[in-house]
Structure formats: structure tokens, C-alpha cells
Amino acid sequence: MSQKIPYDSQRQAALTQQFDHVKAMIDTESKARATEPVSLLAVSKLKPASDIQILYDHGVREFGENYVQELVEKSELLPSDIKWHFIGGLQTNKCKDLAKVANLAYIETLDSLKKAKKLNEARGKYQPDQPAIACDIQINTSHEDQKSGLQNESEIFEMVQYLISEENKYVSLSGLMTIGSWDVSHAEGEENKDFSTLVEWKKKIDEKFGTKVRLSMGMSADFKQAIKQGTSEVRIGTDIFGVRPPKDQAKIL
């Protein structure tokens, strides 16, 4: 790993203040729910490595990235005790590149058995001494064609069975993840039906397999509702880091 990435003090002050503000809101909401604390995943996609270094120096250790190449490059530049979460659309041919990242801790968007097998095989080949990759099964709760994720019960159960099997040492079952539909996430209402659907899947899976899967649901627009409905983690980008640049203008360094 190279030397520590420099940053300017003005950006440091603004970013740490934003992070603390979001974290305080999440802690307040989760206390009101009176259950386990909700973890905050800082989504740093298309943001420079210096932003991540700022929050790392502020004590943050878990970051979410959406693009494989960006995650790989950032992992080579930044401290090795960061726990990277991959939260973007996963292509089968990119499983190997992700599995090679020693401190890749989570993949939250696993949506096919083929990809799970590829990850297990590649992790075992390239990083056999690192912890298994914790996987969230992505479920398409809104039944939107453009969204990734499983919907079929037999496919979901087959994936759970594979991830909890002792034969597969390099991937493990962490939980379930969903991205609610835009309309539902921005609607005023008591309950987000996409989140309710994910909670139902958790109940079914825990009952059938004796698991205690975590839930990853809720982003900047709908995280308060996600906390009310029982999420374990919220994924926040814009509210912490500010507006993202277009992909073709984003710079890591």
C-alpha cells in the first residue's frame, strides 16, 4: 500500500460533519425502534480516495462501492483494514476480480447461483487465507424488470442452501438486500411495501433454515422508514459525500 492520501482541511471539516449528522439521525431512529443498532454503510462510489481517507481517519472502516474496477483501485490505495462492500450490479465475469481483493468483506448484490459458485471458486484460488466473503442475496421486491434480484422462492432457497453449506468455505450467507422502487421510496406513507416484502422473506428463510439473516435496505431517500421496518444496515451516499460527478468525470486521485 502506498503512503497516506492527502486531503484538505476544509473538505475534512465538511465531510466529517455530514457523516456525524447522518450517523446521529440513524442512531436516534434506531433507538426509537428499541432494537439492535443499525449500521451505516458510507457509499463512496465516484468519490475520490481522499474522501474515504478523511472518513477513515475519522474512525469509519466500512465503505460501499458500485463498480468493480473502482473498488479494486481504491483497495490498492487505501488502508488494508477497510472492509469493502460491493453494492453494484455484479457480472459473472467480474467475480474473479472482486474475489481477489483481500479485504472485500461483503457482496450485497448476489443474484445468481452461478455467480455464488464463481466467487467461491475464485476466493479459494486467490485469497484462501482471507475470511469468506459475506453475501447478501439481492431480492427484487418491487418486481421491476430493470432491477436485478431474485423473486422465485425455489431459486432463493437454493441460493441460501448453497451459501450455508459447509462445503463452500469461501462465501457465506450474511443477509438479504433490496432497493425499493423509486415511487414507493419517495411516497408519503406509513409502510414501504418493498421493505415489508423483504422482511417477509427474512421470516421465511430464518424459519426454514434456522438462520438469522440481516437486512440491508434503505438509502438517502428512505432510510428512516427502513429503520422503522427492521433493517440492519442503511446505505448512504449523497447525504454524506454530496452530489456525485458524472461517471466519466469522476477521479479516484
Side-chain angles (χ1 to χ4, degrees):
M1 194 198 78
S2 60
Q3 63 200 45
K4 183 172 152 175
I5 292 164
Y7 48 78
D8 79 70
S9 57
Q10 272 185 312
R11 178 61 176 160
Q12 179 188 20
L15 195 49
T16 53
Q17 185 180 9
Q18 274 305 107
F19 179 85
D20 289 346
H21 174 66
V22 172
K23 182 81 172 70
M25 279 198 293
I26 288 163
D27 290 346
T28 301
E29 290 288 334
S30 60
K31 275 182 194 143
R33 198 184 76 182
T35 56
E36 293 170 24
V38 174
S39 63
L40 166 58
L41 181 66
V43 178
S44 46
K45 73 171 180 182
L46 303 180
K47 289 295 180 176
S50 55
D51 275 3
I52 299 169
Q53 185 72 56
I54 287 169
L55 290 183
Y56 177 89
D57 291 347
H58 193 56
V60 182
R61 291 295 178 271
E62 303 198 26
F63 295 90
E65 290 287 342
N66 287 61
Y67 305 111
V68 173
Q69 191 55 41
E70 187 178 357
L71 188 153
V72 170
E73 287 181 36
K74 286 176 174 175
S75 73
E76 290 165 356
L77 292 166
L78 287 151
S80 59
D81 61 334
I82 284 175
K83 290 183 174 180
W84 295 103
H85 293 232
F86 183 73
I87 61 170
L90 179 59
Q91 296 169 298
T92 308
N93 64 352
K94 296 287 188 182
C95 288
K96 181 175 78 172
D97 295 336
L98 271 180
K100 285 180 178 178
V101 177
N103 54 333
L104 175 75
Y106 286 86
I107 289 180
E108 299 201 15
T109 46
L110 193 57
D111 61 356
S112 84
L113 194 56
K114 183 181 178 185
K115 292 172 193 174
K117 289 176 176 176
K118 278 268 188 200
L119 286 166
N120 187 61
E121 179 191 327
R123 190 68 159 183
K125 183 176 178 181
Y126 297 106
Q127 295 287 1
D129 299 328
Q130 294 299 327
I133 301 167
C135 296
D136 288 346
I137 299 169
Q138 183 171 357
I139 294 181
N140 184 348
T141 52
S142 56
H143 307 291
E144 294 172 282
D145 292 340
Q146 73 272 26
K147 286 247 171 81
S148 301
L150 298 176
Q151 301 178 51
N152 178 283
E153 184 177 280
S154 62
E155 286 182 359
I156 292 167
F157 286 170
E158 188 180 27
M159 181 90 91
V160 172
Q161 191 63 62
Y162 179 82
L163 292 172
I164 64 174
S165 165
E166 289 177 9
E167 291 169 33
N168 310 311
K169 296 177 186 167
Y170 305 107
V171 288
S172 64
L173 177 66
S174 169
L176 307 174
M177 179 269 213
T178 197
I179 301 167
S181 79
W182 194 94
D183 289 343
V184 171
S185 295
H186 289 76
E188 295 294 324
E190 284 302 301
E191 193 174 276
N192 181 312
K193 65 180 193 299
D194 298 330
F195 296 164
S196 302
T197 301
L198 199 69
V199 171
E200 285 306 311
W201 276 113
K202 171 180 163 58
K203 286 178 187 165
K204 272 191 214 178
I205 289 164
D206 285 350
E207 203 171 287
K208 183 174 174 67
F209 295 96
T211 49
K212 285 185 177 176
V213 296
R214 70 172 204 143
L215 296 177
S216 175
M217 55 189 196
M219 300 190 288
S220 291
D222 55 13
F223 74 86
K224 289 184 179 179
Q225 190 59 38
I227 292 169
K228 283 181 186 148
Q229 289 184 236
T231 195
S232 316
E233 171 193 87
V234 293
R235 310 178 300 273
I236 309 289
T238 311
D239 281 3
I240 296 172
F241 293 96
V243 178
R244 295 183 193 97
K247 195 177 177 190
D248 60 355
Q249 291 173 28
K251 289 184 172 65
I252 293 175
L253 284 175

